Amino acid sequence: MDRRKFLHTAAGVAVAAGVLPIVRGGAVCAQSASNQVEEENKEISMKKIIIAADPFAVDLKDSVVKDLASKGYEIVDVGATKENAIPYYEGCVAACKLLQQDKTARGILFCGTGMGMSIVANRFDGIHASVVESVFAAKMCRAINNANVLCLGAMIWGDWMAKEAINVFLNTKFTEGLDGLEDFLKDAYKKVDAIQG
C-alpha cells in the first residue's frame, strides 16, 4: 500500500468525521466530532468499560467515570481511588486480566502521561493499547489499529477534551471510514497480533 495514499485517505476521513476542521474559501468551518459520531452510532449497545488510574490521575478518571455512567456504560474501576493508592503497574495488570476475560469490553487507563499504562498493557495477549494525545489519534487508533484500550495522561489531557477523545474511541469501529483499506488493515492487524518478541 502506498503510504501517501494511505495518509491522504486517513486525513480525508478525519475531515469527514469532524475531527479536523474543514477549510472552505480560506475560512475554517468547525464540526463537532462527538455530535457526528453520536449521530452515526445511536444504536450502539451498552458496553462494559474497564478503567484503572494511578494516584496522579484519579481526579480525571473520576470525572470520566461519572460522564460514562451518565451515558449508560457499565464501569468496572480496578485502579487507584482517593482512599486507596495503587501504582499504575498494579491497576493496569488488574484491568488487562479482566479485559482478557471479556473480549467485548474496552479499557481506559490513566496515569501521568499514559505511557506507563500503555507499556504494561501491551505486554498482555489480546490487548492493543494506544496512548494518544489528540482526539484525532483516539479515533484513528480504533479505525486503523483496532485498539481496545485507550491510555490517557492526566498531565496532558484536560477534562473536557479527555471526554471527547473517549467518546470518539468508544464510538469508532475498526476500519470505519477507511474505504478501500479494510483488507489491508485487517491483514495488518492479524500480522501485528501474531508478532512475538
Side-chain angles (χ1 to χ4, degrees):
M1 155 117 353
D2 180 283
R3 184 171 182 226
R4 273 195 189 136
K5 181 179 177 186
F6 177 81
L7 292 173
H8 179 72
T9 301
V13 170
V15 170
V19 177
L20 294 179
I22 297 173
V23 179
R24 292 190 184 120
V28 175
C29 305
Q31 289 183 336
S32 169
S34 63
N35 288 348
Q36 181 154 351
V37 170
E38 285 173 5
E39 285 298 314
E40 293 171 358
N41 295 291
K42 282 183 178 176
E43 297 187 25
I44 286 183
S45 61
M46 187 176 89
K47 292 187 177 181
K48 183 188 291 184
I49 312 293
I50 311 296
I51 287 185
D54 73 358
F56 189 83
V58 167
D59 288 339
L60 180 58
K61 182 262 303 179
D62 286 348
S63 179
V64 165
V65 166
K66 184 177 178 181
D67 183 60
L68 290 172
S70 75
K71 294 176 180 175
Y73 287 97
E74 177 187 349
I75 310 297
V76 179
D77 184 348
V78 295
T81 64
K82 290 181 180 173
E83 299 78 28
N84 188 17
I86 297 173
Y88 75 92
Y89 46 85
E90 289 180 13
C92 185
V93 168
C96 290
K97 286 181 178 178
L98 289 175
L99 287 162
Q100 286 179 317
Q101 294 170 17
D102 186 349
K103 305 292 187 203
T104 65
R106 297 257 178 96
I108 304 172
L109 306 174
F110 302 89
C111 62
T113 63
M115 300 294 177
M117 288 289 198
S118 177
I119 290 168
V120 175
N122 282 311
R123 293 177 181 267
F124 287 81
D125 288 338
I127 302 298
H128 300 273
S130 294
V131 58
V132 301
E133 296 181 359
S134 70
V135 174
F136 175 72
K139 179 173 185 66
M140 299 316 281
C141 78
R142 285 285 308 133
I144 295 172
N145 305 108
N146 200 23
N148 59 355
V149 176
L150 186 67
C151 302
L152 301 176
M155 292 178 183
I156 297 161
W157 286 94
D159 186 71
W160 184 82
M161 287 301 290
K163 290 173 186 174
E164 284 288 306
I166 290 165
N167 184 56
V168 168
F169 174 79
L170 293 175
N171 291 293
T172 299
K173 296 175 182 152
F174 184 34
T175 77
E176 181 179 320
L178 297 173
D179 299 335
L181 298 173
E182 297 94 341
D183 291 341
F184 167 77
L185 293 172
K186 288 176 182 177
D187 184 56
Y189 177 81
K190 289 176 188 173
K191 289 178 178 171
V192 168
D193 204 35
I195 293 173
Q196 297 290 321

